[in-house]
Amino acid sequence: MMKRRTFLQRIGSVLAVLGITEAEWLSLGNNYYQALAQTSSRKLALLVGINNYSQFPTLNGCLTDVELQKQLLIHRFGFQLSDILCLTDEQASKSLIQKAFNDLNSQVKPGDVVYFHFSGYSSYVKSQKALILFDDSLEKKGEANYLLEQTLQLILHALKTENVIAVLDSGYSINHSKNCGLKVRAVQIPDNINIADDELEYQKQLKSQAITTPPALILSATSNPNQSARELQMSGFSSGLFTYALTQYLWENNLTTTVQFGLQKVNSTVQQLGSNQQSTLINSKKIQQLGTFASNFGIGADINIQSQIESERSGGAEGAITAVEEDGKAVQLWLGGVPAHVLEYMGANSRFAVISNSASSPNLVLRVRSGLTAKASLRTDSSTETPITLQVGQLIQEVVRVIPKNIQLNIGLDKLERIERVDATSAFATLNHISSTVAEQPTDYIFGKLLDKPQETGAMLSSSRYGLFTLSGELITNTVGEVGEAVKVAAQRLAPKLQTLLAAKLWRITENEASSLLNVKVTLETVVASHDGASSQPIMIRETLRGQASTKVLTTIELNKLSIGNRIQYQVENKSNQTLYLMLLGLDSSKNAFGLYAWQNKSEDAPSNPSLQNITIEPGATSTVPQTNPGFEWIIQGLSDSWEVQLILSTAPFTQTLAALSVTKVARVEQQRIVPVSNPSEVAIALLQDLHDAYKDKKDTSDAYVWNVNNWASFSFVFQAQ
């Protein structure tokens, strides 16, 4: 194979400016990465992230985004560390970025993979979209030294390879309506600032080039100018919402999914995390074949890559080993593949299997976690006599999830006077499992004042009407009080709604579609009546894939928007060899909780007194949920807003969950129905306990739930009613 110089050997001038020697950079690599890179094509990456600007408020998550992407590219897609250039903060100047692109263009060849990422501020300059780089000063002649998005597209298109991917985690809408909500990655530039002349000249040069390669695949954090690209605040770190959701999806899921399908799943995750932004593909109409993530990243395209490495990469993982201690039994982990709402509460003694070629995979026990990193130790097993060698770069998959029982719903306090904040803090402290948070702490929802718009000036003024808001500032339906209401009264008034939102937070933590070892497929359908009878149309498909030998390409284009009045149902297919028990819970567009109730007469002697029963699905069987019954249809009703459904399957009965559901007093009929739940937080807690009880081979603990991926599968469905 022809020798080819590495990416960083060709950009020595950039490294010199940064004060990094080539030897220092290359020494960071290791034999594992080098083995992955022995291919005829190469994978090169330029990652840019800026937190600290001189003229604009500091962002928190852009450097984390760079690390998220770097770890993903190395461990999931086989990039060498020596072929990844990271430019952060003051390093991310326009001159250095252009230099890096020029050197890339001089060496890249057909078949290579080029990956670009940007996290930072964006803005409009004379109606053109622009990425704001570190040297953001406005020149005396009134020109902005930014990188226009159109220029970036031309630069990427000019690269001499068909495999160019870019991720832009920034936006153009400024919406700072809530101080303690999600930070926005957009700023406003004065109208008198012009596009720099050299930028326009550079565009002309790029446009004059004869280009035969297809346009780059560009993933943007927002799909329209009215959406804001926001940051996620977690315990110990911040990141871009889009970057975290995207990289986490690519860690955990099968890479044979199409790009469109993957983005739809990413958008559902972003919505659950509190933002209304929806990612999109820029110039998708100009790209004839988007393909799968595997094909775009060069996975499986090179015959020189070892087959077992390809198998490991396509199957999904929750993270990788990043360091091994001298004794060979203690390791450091990267957990970028764990869903955000799960990672926040993943506790000590959670367990992961190391993907290896041996008959039995060694297990690692999590000892302590800090944000995205953790320390773990090899689980001792007296039955294993073969020595186990742990290596940097080995992928890990979830086996046991340990979650604390004292999970709180965190409420941020927004734009309140000092006395109001004191009263609100004390009022929320009296509610079960509800707490108030301060700035820079993880927050689930926001308590604040409604903004009224006077007719004369159009200015937004805060009234004394208190309400509950999402993290992106949208008012939650039916949470606004009367004018003059006291803060403590408002908090007590919101108590039932807060308990409902707490319940949803708890059942989301059960999600494990990617890591479950139960073989299950769930399809959300709309049902349409016709002269020939009812017909169904698939809307969303969720399926556990881990542990299967399937390499099928998932191409389904999900219709995540349903019309009010649609009739819906689920088809649940049990592909496993054991009986499974089913539970369904959710929130409608008004954030009211509902559940699936299945009544059945215990005996023929008491036909008028049906009781709640477990819904079971036998091995190999497919069940319709809820069952088709005369007199009941599940119809989408209410406001135009998002719905959320959690469908959970277990190898053990939902005994405690049924007991909690039975508290709700409704008319009982011998059939399945969707019914409002009057005590949602109690139902959710009972659900978590039932999943704990399903795992028999565990050490019981009084302060945590312990779940095993062999015992449960939990699927999340988020869709918009309109």
Side-chain angles (χ1 to χ4, degrees):
M1 185 175 64
M2 183 184 300
K3 286 188 177 181
R4 298 179 56 191
R5 287 182 280 183
T6 66
F7 178 28
L8 297 181
Q9 286 176 312
R10 292 300 302 270
I11 58 171
S13 57
V14 175
L15 294 179
V17 172
L18 300 180
I20 303 172
T21 68
E22 182 181 310
E24 288 173 332
W25 190 278
L26 294 178
S27 68
L28 298 175
N30 58 49
N31 292 334
Y32 183 81
Y33 303 143
Q34 292 167 5
L36 291 177
Q38 299 304 311
T39 66
S40 59
S41 62
R42 302 194 23 245
K43 301 174 182 180
L44 311 173
L46 174 59
L47 311 179
V48 178
I50 309 170
N51 277 343
N52 299 307
Y53 287 85
S54 61
Q55 296 191 52
F56 305 114
T58 299
L59 293 170
N60 295 335
C62 298
L63 303 195
T64 305
D65 288 357
V66 168
E67 189 66 18
L68 285 165
Q69 292 283 14
K70 184 177 75 172
Q71 296 290 343
L72 174 79
L73 295 177
I74 290 171
H75 298 297
R76 195 77 171 99
F77 293 108
F79 283 62
Q80 287 193 89
L81 182 57
S82 57
D83 282 338
I84 300 174
L85 178 62
C86 301
L87 300 178
T88 57
D89 285 345
E90 67 272 9
Q91 302 166 358
S93 65
K94 187 174 183 180
S95 59
L96 284 179
I97 291 173
Q98 287 184 338
K99 173 63 176 172
F101 271 127
N102 289 338
D103 288 332
L104 255 178
N105 199 30
S106 67
Q107 65 166 309
V108 72
K109 294 184 177 181
D112 288 351
V113 176
V114 176
Y115 192 89
F116 174 74
H117 176 93
F118 175 81
S119 284
Y121 280 121
S122 294
S123 186
Y124 283 105
V125 180
K126 297 302 180 184
S127 299
Q128 289 208 44
K129 297 178 178 179
L131 308 181
I132 301 178
L133 307 178
F134 180 78
D135 45 355
D136 57 7
S137 57
L138 304 179
E139 299 179 4
K140 292 182 180 180
K141 57 182 180 180
E143 292 183 346
N145 194 27
Y146 304 153
L147 176 62
L148 295 181
E149 191 175 291
Q150 184 181 9
T151 305
L152 175 64
Q153 291 185 40
L154 292 169
I155 292 172
L156 297 172
H157 195 186
L159 296 173
K160 296 182 289 290
T161 178
E162 64 277 17
N163 301 316
V164 181
I165 308 161
V167 175
L168 306 181
D169 198 345
S170 60
Y172 299 94
S173 175
I174 305 170
N175 179 6
H176 299 287
S177 60
K178 298 297 165 196
N179 288 340
C180 56
L182 304 172
K183 279 195 171 185
V184 174
R185 292 181 174 179
V187 292
Q188 188 170 355
I189 302 301
D191 293 337
N192 62 346
I193 300 301
N194 297 309
I195 300 170
D197 291 337
D198 60 351
E199 177 81 4
L200 298 175
E201 181 60 32
Y202 188 37
Q203 277 194 11
K204 289 181 181 179
Q205 295 176 16
L206 292 169
K207 290 178 180 179
S208 66
Q209 297 179 13
I211 299 173
T212 58
T213 55
L217 183 70
I218 304 177
L219 283 63
S220 174
T222 58
S223 58
N224 71 61
N226 296 322
Q227 295 176 0
S228 299
R230 298 178 181 271
E231 293 195 331
L232 171 69
Q233 180 65 55
M234 300 276 287
S235 295
F237 72 95
S238 294
S239 70
L241 259 175
F242 174 53
T243 299
Y244 191 98
L246 175 66
T247 56
Q248 187 273 320
Y249 173 83
L250 292 174
W251 268 104
E252 260 202 333
N253 287 272
N254 195 316
L255 298 180
T256 57
T257 58
T258 62
V259 175
Q260 304 102 310
F261 181 88
L263 280 186
Q264 289 161 349
K265 296 288 292 291
V266 167
N267 287 339
S268 292
T269 299
V270 168
Q271 193 166 356
Q272 278 192 321
L273 292 173
S275 178
N276 60 358
Q277 71 185 74
Q278 296 285 280
S279 59
T280 191
L281 290 163
I282 297 177
N283 283 344
S284 60
K285 294 181 179 179
K286 297 181 181 180
I287 303 173
Q288 293 181 351
Q289 180 60 46
L290 293 173
T292 66
F293 283 107
S295 63
N296 278 284
F297 279 94
I299 296 291
D302 199 305
I303 60 174
N304 294 318
I305 296 180
Q306 300 177 35
S307 60
Q308 78 267 17
I309 293 175
E310 294 301 339
S311 176
E312 291 174 6
R313 294 194 184 288
S314 65
E318 276 65 58
I321 297 175
T322 56
V324 180
E325 303 294 334
E326 291 184 2
D327 63 1
K329 296 181 179 180
V331 299
Q332 293 184 21
L333 303 177
W334 178 261
L335 298 175
V338 179
H341 48 277
V342 176
L343 180 68
E344 184 71 13
Y345 296 101
M346 179 167 279
N349 296 317
S350 293
R351 205 161 79 229
F352 298 90
V354 179
I355 302 178
S356 67
N357 295 325
S358 61
S360 60
S361 298
N363 274 212
L364 299 172
V365 180
L366 189 149
R367 299 305 182 192
V368 61
R369 182 184 60 82
S370 176
L372 285 155
T373 61
K375 292 183 178 181
S377 59
L378 189 63
R379 184 174 185 243
T380 57
D381 188 348
S382 58
S383 64
T384 303
E385 298 180 359
T386 306
I388 296 173
T389 302
L390 299 176
Q391 299 178 9
V392 170
Q394 286 180 307
L395 302 181
I396 59 171
Q397 293 179 335
E398 183 179 33
V399 176
V400 173
R401 183 179 302 177
V402 178
I403 300 293
K405 291 185 176 181
N406 60 340
I407 294 175
Q408 306 277 311
L409 187 73
N410 301 315
I411 305 299
L413 306 180
D414 181 72
K415 296 181 180 179
L416 301 179
E417 301 296 334
R418 182 178 178 276
I419 186 62
E420 291 176 306
R421 297 183 69 86
V422 171
D423 288 347
T425 300
S426 62
F428 286 127
T430 65
L431 305 178
N432 289 334
H433 303 292
I434 309 296
S435 64
S436 58
T437 60
V438 297
E440 310 301 329
Q441 286 187 342
T443 300
D444 297 309
Y445 296 92
I446 301 169
F447 175 78
K449 295 179 180 178
L450 184 66
L451 295 178
D452 291 329
K453 181 185 289 186
Q455 292 184 349
E456 292 121 2
T457 64
M460 301 298 287
L461 300 176
S462 62
S463 71
S464 58
R465 301 172 64 200
Y466 300 108
L468 204 59
F469 301 82
T470 67
L471 294 182
S472 52
E474 288 84 26
L475 177 67
I476 296 176
T477 304
N478 298 327
T479 64
V480 177
E482 299 295 329
V483 174
E485 180 183 37
V487 172
K488 290 185 177 181
V489 174
Q492 291 295 327
R493 173 178 54 81
L494 290 170
K497 182 64 68 178
L498 294 173
Q499 292 299 318
T500 298
L501 298 175
L502 170 64
K505 178 177 180 175
L506 294 177
W507 69 55
R508 288 175 194 140
I509 295 174
T510 69
E511 181 182 356
N512 72 336
E513 176 186 349
S515 65
S516 175
L517 293 184
L518 295 181
N519 195 347
V520 182
K521 180 179 179 180
V522 182
T523 304
L524 171 61
E525 302 176 334
T526 57
V527 182
V528 180
S530 65
H531 296 295
D532 300 327
S535 61
S536 61
Q537 177 186 3
I539 301 297
M540 293 182 180
I541 297 176
R542 300 286 182 264
E543 184 172 10
T544 57
L545 296 173
R546 189 161 293 176
Q548 300 182 42
S550 172
T551 57
K552 65 181 180 181
V553 177
L554 299 179
T555 59
T556 305
I557 301 300
E558 297 194 335
L559 305 175
N560 61 354
K561 294 183 179 180
L562 297 175
S563 298
I564 294 173
N566 279 157
R567 175 188 166 191
I568 62 173
Q569 65 185 24
Y570 287 91
Q571 295 293 337
V572 184
E573 185 176 354
N574 179 6
K575 299 181 179 182
S576 73
N577 59 3
Q578 55 190 317
T579 300
L580 297 180
Y581 299 83
L582 182 145
M583 182 59 59
L584 184 151
L585 299 166
L587 295 181
D588 64 17
S589 57
S590 297
K591 299 295 186 287
N592 295 321
F594 59 81
L596 175 62
Y597 285 64
W599 286 287
Q600 185 177 346
N601 287 317
K602 291 184 178 180
S603 67
E604 296 181 0
D605 296 333
S608 61
N609 188 29
S611 61
L612 279 178
Q613 300 292 313
N614 275 285
I615 299 173
T616 59
I617 306 177
E618 297 302 318
T622 299
S623 292
T624 301
V625 178
Q627 291 176 345
T628 302
N629 291 304
F632 175 74
E633 294 178 338
W634 190 6
I635 306 294
I636 298 296
Q637 297 175 331
L639 304 171
S640 297
D641 209 332
S642 64
W643 282 58
E644 176 181 335
V645 176
Q646 200 75 27
L647 196 148
I648 310 102
L649 296 115
S650 174
T651 58
F654 290 102
T655 306
Q656 297 196 40
T657 311
L658 291 183
L661 285 171
S662 65
V663 172
T664 298
K665 303 301 181 183
V666 293
R668 300 186 178 192
V669 292
E670 192 177 359
Q671 59 181 224
Q672 296 179 10
R673 289 198 174 183
I674 300 297
V675 175
V677 177
S678 63
N679 58 334
S681 61
E682 289 83 356
V683 170
I685 291 171
L687 168 70
L688 271 53
Q689 185 63 44
D690 278 331
L691 295 179
H692 174 87
D693 294 339
Y695 179 28
K696 305 301 182 184
D697 184 22
K698 65 178 181 298
K699 293 181 180 179
D700 267 319
T701 174
S702 60
D703 58 356
Y705 302 109
V706 184
W707 308 326
N708 190 300
V709 295
N710 289 287
N711 297 119
W712 102 101
S714 181
F715 304 91
S716 177
F717 294 82
V718 179
F719 53 89
Q720 198 78 13
Q722 59 182 16

